[in-house]
């Protein structure tokens, strides 16, 4: 997954699994809030996550497509004929 998305963006996507705020994802990925916001925007634009505002916080969750990508990344690659 890291080869496809980049290590930080893959870490952010995995961190969203239970649902996470921007601040939580920044701490998890070890980057600043503005940096993680850029990754979140790219993942949302790709249809992998959705974001909902709750008061002053934003909760990010996986879409079905994002969940499928994470599931497929856990499976061993099929051999190429």
């Amino acid at each position: 997954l890291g080869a496809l998305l980049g290590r930080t963006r893959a870490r952010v996507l995995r961190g969203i699994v239970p649902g996470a705020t921007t601040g939580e994802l920044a701490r998890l990925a070890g980057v600043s809030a503005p940096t993680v916001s850029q990754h979140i925007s790219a993942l949302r634009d790709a249809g992998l996550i959705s974001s909902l505002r709750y008061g002053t916080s934003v909760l990010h969750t996986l879409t079905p497509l994002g969940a499928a990508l994470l599931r497929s990344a856990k499976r061993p690659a099929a051999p190429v004929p």
Side-chain angles (χ1 to χ4, degrees):
L1 192 59
L4 175 65
L5 299 176
R7 283 186 356 199
T8 302
R9 196 162 288 165
R11 191 175 303 139
V12 169
L13 185 63
R14 285 187 188 107
I16 290 174
V17 171
T21 65
T22 303
E24 290 168 337
L25 292 169
R27 284 187 293 281
L28 174 78
V31 297
S32 68
T35 298
V36 86
S37 290
Q38 291 177 345
H39 290 296
I40 288 166
S41 291
L43 293 168
R44 189 174 41 247
D45 290 348
L48 300 175
I49 68 167
S50 62
S51 303
L52 295 170
R53 180 168 292 283
Y54 290 99
T56 59
S57 296
V58 178
L59 182 66
H60 308 285
T61 57
L62 288 176
T63 63
L65 179 61
L69 178 63
L70 285 180
R71 278 192 309 274
S72 68
K74 290 180 182 179
R75 281 186 262 153
V80 177

